[in-house]
């Protein structure tokens, strides 16, 4: 049976890069930096993974998503403070 490799592009905020890198390295996920988004302070990383490794990719996506949610909450808090 052939192993199917899936490629995916991830936009990783610099603030969580070390956490994401740790997860990818611990699980032997092939990854390549393919670009940057300077305005958003992100690295664009292409990952290659097998079906059995999907949960690891979901974990990485959760780290990124949690970062964005917390960042939005911080911005909302800043906006409320400015309004006072």
């Amino acid at each position: 049976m052939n192993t199917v490799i899936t490629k995916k592009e991830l936009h990783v905020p610099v603030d969580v890069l070390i956490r994401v890198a740790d997860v990818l390295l611990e699980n032997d996920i092939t990854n390549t930096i393919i670009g940057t988004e300077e305005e958003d302070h992100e690295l664009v990383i292409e990952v290659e993974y097998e079906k059995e490794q999907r949960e690891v990719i979901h974990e990485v996506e959760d780290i990124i998503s949690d970062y964005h949610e917390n960042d939005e909450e911080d911005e909302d808090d800043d906006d409320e403070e400015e309004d006072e």
Side-chain angles (χ1 to χ4, degrees), residues 28-43:
D28 294 323
I29 303 288
T30 302
N31 61 86
T32 307
I33 297 172
I34 60 173
T36 61
E37 296 288 341
E38 287 185 44
E39 187 175 301
D40 297 327
H41 304 285
E42 295 177 339
L43 286 180

Side-chain angles (χ1 to χ4, degrees), residues 61-79:
E61 291 172 327
D62 287 346
I63 291 169
I64 295 167
S65 178
D66 289 348
Y67 171 80
H68 286 299
E69 286 175 13
N70 290 335
D71 192 41
E72 287 174 11
E73 287 174 9
D74 289 346
E75 286 177 10
D76 289 344
D77 290 346
D78 290 345
D79 290 344

Side-chain angles (χ1 to χ4, degrees), residues 16 19 35 50 57-58 60 72 74-76 79 82:
V16 294
R19 286 180 56 203
E50 298 174 16
I57 299 305
H58 291 302
V60 169
E72 287 174 11
D74 289 346
E75 286 177 10
D76 289 344
D79 290 344
E82 287 176 8

